[in-house]
Amino acid sequence: MTQPPPPPNQPPQQPGFGPPQDPSQQQPAQSPQQPPSAPAGGPDLNKAPEPGYGYPQAPQPSAPPAAPQGPGYGYPQQQQQPPAAGYGYPGQAQPGPYGQPQQPGAYGQPQQPGAYGQPGYGQPGYGYPQPATMPMQPQPGGGGKKFNSQIAIIVSAVVAIALIVGGGVWYASSSGKDDDSKNTAGGDGKNKTNGGGGGENGSGSGSSGAQEKAPADTGSKVLFQVPAPKTPKDVTSISTAGSWLTDTVYAKSGIAEVVGYDRAKGTKKWTIDLPGPVCEGSGRTTEDNKTAIIFKPDMPTKGDPQSCTQVAVIDLETGKEVWTKTAQSGTMPISFNNVTVSGGTVAAGSTSGGAAWDVATGKQLWAPKTSDSCYDSGYAGGAKLVAVRKCGEYEARQLHIQNIDPKTGKVITEYKMDEGIEYAAVVSTDPLVVAADVGDSAGDGSGISDFFSVDNKTGKLRTRISAPGEDFAARCDAIYKIEKCSGLAVGNDRLYIATEEHDGSGESYGQTNEIVAFDLATGKQTGQRADAGDDYEIYPLRMDGNNVLAYKRPPYDKGGQIVSIDGGTFKQTTLMENPATENVRDVEARMSPDYAEILFSKGGLYMSSVYASDFSAGTDRKEYLVIAFGTS
């Protein structure tokens, strides 16, 4: 499809952490490898391109016809959105998978003033300017054909107008307390990946190290539901990004709060009140269940949208705010876009550079230096701490992917990407895998045209994997979130990635897809394939030892499933199947893996929205922030 022109201005280049890079040390540009032909069962690279991520879903032919609805659930979706949502979120245009809307409007439209008197900049989403819209709710049922681009444009315009009327302010009030009875069914190695999302671990093949086991009865029941917060008058939408799992607690961001729920009963165990909305939450936790969030210092208003200047560590077991800090670039407070945890360090990045603090004490470890000509736009954590450092001018950018010491910020190894690649996301820190949209060639808003497998010990490129947007369904917010990617997982020195939907077999009119694997040493497909099955769509969530955990989005008359895919044989084992009753299906269908946060562990599945909105105002349809399922 025709893409809009790039913005004429780049975000202000402000100094970042670390010394200027010596051009003499730059490695020769790597020549891209030619992608291997797909094995039988893999994506057909010769098929006609299908509408990619960001296109609305059409109703399934096999599903009963539904009455027309207004914007919201069941309405054609334009998956453009503002800020960063948590892991697995559509093209977000704000500072900050895995969840806050961004202030700037679409390119060519009036921009909100920047923070602290700085001029506003239109910030392109996934490499292209995006209107400041929120993701629309998905059509119930999986695997439907996609609407054409003309409908997508119309829907986008409708949503954009709604946001303009609403004033473009992104905040909301406390959680509603409506009765939900009608919708129930009867680093240093000391960091952990959250209960869902693209994760890295596992080595070798087989199921060794897997923690998730199939129960005697895989049928689940609804454990609890949390009603969506009500947005204040004249407010269209607000971010509710951030969710976490411990052995006893499911924690979720609300409106200017983080709430800890009993993971089995849904009763509130604790609440952390904040002065403003949560902008972003790290998908990483420490061994003692601490994590990091970014939030605004006050509630936004039409005249003052507020900036994401506050970085805090919270204790997910006790429900305590351990500390809150800010950082400056020169004399200006930094508005952060992303945050992560690695090796006892909290690191946050932005277009003004990056800063880091000690998890335990809050002591600042580094901040941008005024003498620097490059800046740390973001960090990815977990087993390693990796910085994405930007140097050069817009359209002549060079990205430095740096494995750094989490205590000092010292560069251990570095890979310099080819000049001109504007954005990159870190899919995994160990092994190191980077995703980028090279030459804006993805064409589907996914932010991915190629993956780069990098040797962490030497900083040298191992291999480059071509992943055309029309064939693969993974996506990353490489602009703001850095490590917020969905539809993929990394383990066993392989990249597991979902393919795009295609027609099912036999008499089915629905859509289906697969998960395929690439070898990170050779860049070639391994020949392994996990089929979703007719009318289902399958999405990798994370690694479980050497196995891949995946969510299967169901057709209109079924419940979703969690499956474990053996890392060696690719045999699928069903771990959970959700109720197929209409009320439950209706809620689950709105938690699309394209934008919802999906966490699974120990027989519990937790699906949550990354925004609260008023799109259902005036209707009798209830919106939910969280729905949780469990097996006995």
Side-chain angles (χ1 to χ4, degrees):
M1 67 184 172
T2 302
Q3 301 293 349
N9 297 317
Q10 65 181 34
Q13 297 303 306
Q14 297 182 349
F17 167 74
Q21 301 297 324
D22 183 358
S24 65
Q25 297 178 357
Q26 181 173 338
Q27 299 174 1
Q30 301 286 344
S31 60
Q33 298 180 358
Q34 294 297 324
S37 58
D44 181 2
L45 300 182
N46 296 315
K47 69 180 180 181
E50 300 176 3
Y53 171 68
Y55 276 71
Q57 301 285 328
Q60 288 198 63
S62 58
Q69 301 181 35
Y73 173 65
Y75 196 74
Q77 307 141 26
Q78 178 71 7
Q79 293 179 3
Q80 297 170 330
Q81 76 184 44
Y87 163 76
Y89 311 138
Q92 302 163 350
Q94 151 203 355
Y98 209 58
Q100 70 269 25
Q102 75 185 30
Q103 273 73 42
Y107 169 59
Q109 295 186 5
Q111 305 294 317
Q112 296 262 11
Y116 301 98
Q118 296 292 329
Y121 288 83
Q123 297 175 333
Y126 290 146
Y128 299 105
Q130 304 284 338
T133 66
M134 67 163 286
M136 303 300 296
Q137 298 290 359
Q139 184 77 7
K145 296 278 189 181
K146 298 177 181 178
F147 280 111
N148 62 31
S149 58
Q150 185 176 12
I151 295 178
I153 294 170
I154 294 172
V155 175
S156 177
V158 171
V159 178
I161 292 170
L163 285 173
I164 292 171
V165 173
V169 181
W170 302 77
Y171 69 96
S173 61
S174 59
S175 299
K177 302 183 182 300
D178 297 346
D179 176 28
D180 63 2
S181 59
K182 294 181 180 179
N183 286 74
T184 61
D188 52 0
K190 301 301 182 183
N191 298 112
K192 299 183 294 183
T193 299
N194 203 2
E200 68 271 5
N201 62 48
S203 58
S205 62
S207 59
S208 64
Q211 301 295 313
E212 307 296 342
K213 308 297 181 184
D217 181 3
T218 58
S220 72
K221 64 178 181 180
V222 175
L223 299 178
F224 61 90
Q225 296 173 116
V226 178
K230 299 294 189 264
T231 58
K233 184 179 180 181
D234 298 327
V235 173
T236 301
S237 179
I238 184 172
S239 164
T240 56
S243 57
W244 304 266
L245 270 177
T246 75
D247 289 342
T248 59
V249 173
Y250 169 73
K252 174 64 184 172
S253 295
I255 305 302
E257 65 179 7
V258 179
V259 178
Y261 302 90
D262 182 291
R263 60 174 288 166
K265 303 175 182 177
T267 53
K268 286 187 179 181
K269 301 187 71 170
W270 50 258
T271 299
I272 299 174
D273 293 316
L274 302 168
V278 174
C279 303
E280 171 71 356
S282 173
R284 312 287 185 176
T285 59
T286 63
E287 280 292 305
D288 58 351
N289 293 314
K290 293 182 176 64
T291 192
I293 59 173
I294 305 168
F295 63 94
K296 297 184 176 184
D298 205 348
M299 292 299 293
T301 64
K302 289 183 179 180
D304 186 2
Q306 296 291 319
S307 297
C308 303
T309 57
Q310 313 295 300
V311 178
V313 164
I314 60 175
D315 189 320
L316 298 171
E317 286 294 346
T318 65
K320 302 297 183 182
E321 187 175 333
V322 181
W323 51 256
T324 297
K325 301 292 181 179
T326 60
Q328 292 185 323
S329 176
T331 60
M332 304 300 294
I334 297 175
S335 181
F336 292 103
N337 300 336
N338 52 76
V339 66
T340 195
V341 178
S342 178
T345 293
V346 172
S350 76
T351 56
S352 299
W357 300 264
D358 181 81
V359 168
T361 65
K363 176 185 177 182
Q364 189 171 81
L365 302 177
W366 66 80
K369 298 177 182 178
T370 56
S371 60
D372 289 343
S373 60
C374 304
Y375 67 94
D376 290 359
S377 63
Y379 302 95
K384 306 284 186 182
L385 182 59
V386 173
V388 176
R389 188 168 177 81
K390 293 192 174 186
C391 300
E393 299 298 319
Y394 184 77
E395 294 187 336
R397 189 93 66 199
Q398 185 170 52
L399 303 183
H400 299 213
I401 310 301
Q402 300 176 333
N403 177 14
I404 63 176
D405 186 317
K407 295 301 182 184
T408 64
K410 180 181 178 181
V411 176
I412 301 171
T413 59
E414 177 179 75
Y415 170 66
K416 296 179 181 179
M417 303 191 75
D418 290 349
E419 187 175 295
I421 299 176
E422 293 291 333
Y423 307 103
V426 179
V427 176
S428 166
T429 61
D430 188 23
L432 180 53
V433 181
V434 178
D437 186 358
V438 180
D440 296 334
S441 60
D444 63 347
S446 65
I448 304 171
S449 67
D450 295 83
F451 293 94
F452 299 79
S453 174
V454 179
D455 190 315
N456 246 326
K457 296 180 179 179
T458 65
K460 295 184 181 299
L461 183 69
R462 300 174 66 197
T463 190
R464 177 171 170 175
I465 300 170
S466 176
E470 66 266 27
D471 294 307
F472 297 99
R475 55 200 57 111
C476 296
D477 181 0
I479 297 179
Y480 299 113
K481 301 307 181 184
I482 304 301
E483 63 176 343
K484 297 301 183 182
C485 298
S486 63
L488 47 72
V490 172
N492 306 321
D493 207 33
R494 293 169 184 166
L495 169 67
Y496 301 98
I497 182 171
T499 68
E500 280 286 2
E501 303 168 67
H502 55 79
D503 291 340
S505 63
E507 300 299 320
S508 173
Y509 289 97
Q511 299 275 284
T512 188
N513 75 328
E514 303 80 32
I515 293 174
V516 296
F518 286 89
D519 189 303
L520 291 175
T522 66
K524 297 180 179 180
Q525 284 197 39
T526 65
Q528 295 167 307
R529 180 177 110 174
D531 294 311
D534 283 345
D535 301 329
Y536 284 87
E537 301 165 43
I538 190 167
Y539 298 82
L541 294 178
R542 64 176 176 88
M543 299 302 297
D544 174 34
N546 296 321
N547 295 347
V548 182
L549 292 181
Y551 173 72
K552 293 175 73 170
R553 188 181 181 196
Y556 76 95
D557 58 348
K558 303 285 186 181
Q561 298 178 358
I562 294 292
V563 297
S564 176
I565 303 169
D566 187 279
T569 66
F570 250 48
K571 177 184 177 181
Q572 295 184 47
T573 300
T574 300
L575 303 181
M576 172 183 285
E577 183 163 9
N578 293 335
T581 57
E582 182 178 359
N583 286 338
V584 175
R585 295 198 322 263
D586 181 73
V587 179
E588 181 179 3
R590 295 178 228 164
M591 302 294 184
S592 166
D594 288 341
Y595 8 85
E597 295 171 344
I598 301 179
L599 306 180
F600 178 85
S601 79
K602 298 182 178 179
L605 172 64
Y606 303 81
M607 310 177 77
S608 64
S609 297
V610 297
Y611 289 97
S613 75
D614 66 352
F615 280 13
S616 62
T619 72
D620 58 0
R621 180 168 60 82
K622 289 189 61 176
E623 299 289 348
Y624 288 89
L625 179 66
V626 177
I627 184 168
F629 300 92
T631 55
S632 57

